[in-house]
């Protein structure tokens, strides 16, 4: 969890950054740069989705461990 969560936050920041870059490019009529920025954003979004799945799995495993521990007590 401690390794995955910071990576997730970093990836989310990259998504926001590339979104801002795309918006700035559109304002400057640079559709080519906007498209490139959106592709970067899309790649980071894919990674964020993967990490989110991992975080959910870790949360479920932790919950199951805690429940099993209570049942053994």
């Amino acid at each position: 969890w401690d390794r995955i969560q910071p990576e997730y936050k970093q990836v989310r920041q990259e998504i926001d950054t590339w979104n801002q870059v795309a918006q700035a490019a559109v304002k400057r009529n640079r559709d080519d740069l906007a498209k490139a920025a959106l592709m970067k954003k899309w790649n980071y979004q894919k990674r964020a989705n993967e990490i989110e799945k991992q975080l959910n799995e870790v949360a479920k495993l932790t919950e199951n461990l805690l429940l099993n521990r209570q049942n053994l007590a």
Side-chain angles (χ1 to χ4, degrees):
W1 181 268
D2 291 338
R3 181 187 63 79
I4 301 171
Q5 185 67 26
E7 182 183 357
Y8 181 72
K9 287 181 181 181
Q10 176 63 35
V11 169
R12 295 297 312 167
Q13 289 175 344
E14 290 289 343
I15 291 168
D16 292 341
T17 298
W18 286 109
N19 190 54
Q20 291 172 4
V21 170
Q23 289 176 356
V26 168
K27 288 180 183 178
R28 291 180 176 87
N29 294 320
R30 291 296 310 269
D31 292 340
D32 56 329
L33 295 179
K35 183 178 178 182
L38 290 174
M39 289 300 294
K40 289 272 194 182
K41 176 186 170 187
W42 181 76
N43 287 328
Y44 280 107
Q45 184 63 57
K46 278 183 20 181
R47 181 66 185 137
N49 292 343
E50 293 169 3
I51 296 170
E52 194 170 343
K53 286 180 188 177
Q54 291 176 353
L55 287 170
N56 288 334
E57 288 175 16
V58 169
K60 286 179 187 177
L61 288 172
T62 302
E63 183 178 351
N64 286 338
L65 285 172
L66 292 173
L67 288 173
N68 288 338
R69 182 175 160 196
Q70 287 176 347
N71 290 337
L72 291 174

